[in-house]
Amino acid sequence: MDALTASGVMNDEYAARILVWSIDKARTASEMSENLGIPISACYNRIRMLEGLGLLKCVEMKMSTSGKRIAVYQSMLRKASIFMERGEVRVKLELIDGKVEDLSLVRS
């Protein structure tokens, strides 16, 4: 992932809310939509994007009472920072598996 994409995700209100809300407990798209006030289609769009970037992961498949399979998602993000250091804008992502991505956004 590049720094521009990472900073865009952190500045996307829906994506940021999904990542924060699913840090401590895995959640379904339906739970995210209902509790965070995100339209379900926007929720699924952000889930696909976040999964593609490795920031959200399907950790379980549950069965609903109607027999439908429901994915349960967990945030892979432990910490995210956007900061300026020595004339350079940087994005730092720390994942729960210990991986750290330190990306440069703008260099003077």
Side-chain angles (χ1 to χ4, degrees), residues 47-59:
I47 287 170
R48 281 193 296 279
M49 175 195 59
L50 294 168
E51 277 189 301
L53 295 171
L55 298 176
L56 194 71
K57 182 178 179 180
C58 177
V59 293

Side-chain angles (χ1 to χ4, degrees), residues 43-106:
C43 195
Y44 277 114
N45 287 337
R46 295 317 189 285
I47 287 170
R48 281 193 296 279
M49 175 195 59
L50 294 168
E51 277 189 301
L53 295 171
L55 298 176
L56 194 71
K57 182 178 179 180
C58 177
V59 293
E60 180 185 355
M61 293 299 289
K62 294 189 334 186
M63 196 68 72
S64 73
T65 54
S66 64
K68 185 177 177 183
R69 291 172 45 100
I70 302 171
V72 184
Y73 301 95
Q74 181 86 46
S75 177
M76 297 290 102
L77 192 61
R78 176 177 293 151
K79 183 178 178 183
S81 306
I82 300 173
F83 57 97
M84 184 181 293
E85 182 177 59
R86 297 184 186 141
E88 188 174 25
V89 177
R90 305 194 64 78
V91 178
K92 185 175 181 180
L93 304 174
E94 295 178 28
L95 305 179
I96 62 171
D97 64 3
K99 183 178 176 186
V100 175
E101 291 194 42
D102 190 357
L103 310 163
S104 176
L105 182 60
V106 177

